Amino acid sequence: MTIIAASRFCDSSYLSLRFYFTLLFFILFFQAIATHPQASIKPTSYQDAIKQASTKFNQNKPEEAIKILLKIQFNPSSIKEYEIDYTVHFLLGDCYSRMNNLKEVALQQYKEAKKWAEKLKDNSKLGDVYHNIGVCSIDLGKAEDARKAFTLALQYKIQNHGKDHISLA
């Protein structure tokens, strides 16, 4: 039976050698990750990606839709790009709300969509997003937040369609 001296594990040269090997591993590992960034979608294909994600969502495959939507990354600077960002976050909210135990994430996505709807000054979109915020709030047991969101949704829908519109029935 071979006896290993306890001093070998406490020897500073042994520890520093182990440290350097660990450091080398992390440098090589993170360099490999940095050279292979997540593929993003080209600006000309945003609408195609949104259509693909909507199809996956309608096929009850929200996880696949989320993977597609998370590849859409840009800094919106025009009205058209605000529309795209609103749609992406609204659809992400729908996907997360369909998945179990992700209602809080869905709520955050709807709040992000609300930000873009406000920039667009679109009462219909604001009504839709406040409605979904209300639904998520109910699912999370936040009754007061849900009441506020539903009240705002109703106000925006009335502003957009009038109080006698069928959608308000």
Side-chain angles (χ1 to χ4, degrees), residues 94-113:
D94 286 348
C95 290
Y96 285 120
S97 108
R98 188 172 283 182
M99 297 169 66
N100 292 335
N101 302 323
L102 292 174
K103 303 294 184 189
E104 194 66 45
V105 179
L107 186 61
Q108 293 306 317
Q109 291 298 324
Y110 287 133
K111 287 180 179 179
E112 188 67 22

Side-chain angles (χ1 to χ4, degrees), residues 46-55 69 72 84 87-88 91:
Y46 291 148
Q47 294 299 335
D48 292 336
I50 290 170
K51 286 178 187 175
Q52 289 174 1
S54 294
T55 301
L69 292 169
I72 300 175
I84 292 169
T87 304
V88 167
L91 192 51

Side-chain angles (χ1 to χ4, degrees), residues 13-46:
S13 64
Y14 176 75
L15 290 177
S16 64
L17 183 62
R18 199 166 94 191
F19 170 75
Y20 287 122
F21 277 121
T22 305
L23 182 63
L24 180 63
F25 169 75
F26 281 112
I27 288 171
L28 293 175
F29 179 73
F30 287 115
Q31 186 177 18
I33 290 174
T35 58
H36 299 291
Q38 181 182 9
S40 61
I41 296 174
K42 295 176 185 169
T44 55
S45 60
Y46 291 148

Side-chain angles (χ1 to χ4, degrees), residues 49-136:
I50 290 170
K51 286 178 187 175
Q52 289 174 1
S54 294
T55 301
K56 294 293 184 186
F57 177 76
N58 291 332
Q59 294 171 346
N60 203 22
K61 298 178 181 176
E63 295 89 356
E64 292 178 30
I66 289 169
K67 287 179 186 176
I68 294 169
L69 292 169
L70 290 178
K71 291 180 182 177
I72 300 175
Q73 297 177 352
F74 64 99
N75 292 323
S77 58
S78 68
I79 298 295
K80 185 175 181 178
E81 290 174 345
Y82 290 172
E83 284 270 349
I84 292 169
D85 220 21
Y86 165 81
T87 304
V88 167
H89 289 289
F90 193 86
L91 192 51
L92 278 168
D94 286 348
C95 290
Y96 285 120
S97 108
R98 188 172 283 182
M99 297 169 66
N100 292 335
N101 302 323
L102 292 174
K103 303 294 184 189
E104 194 66 45
V105 179
L107 186 61
Q108 293 306 317
Q109 291 298 324
Y110 287 133
K111 287 180 179 179
E112 188 67 22
K114 177 184 69 97
K115 179 178 86 171
W116 295 110
E118 288 170 344
K119 287 185 180 187
L120 289 165
K121 298 177 182 158
D122 187 326
N123 289 342
S124 179
K125 287 181 180 5
L126 282 165
D128 292 341
V129 79
Y130 273 113
H131 173 83
N132 287 8
I133 287 172
V135 171
C136 274

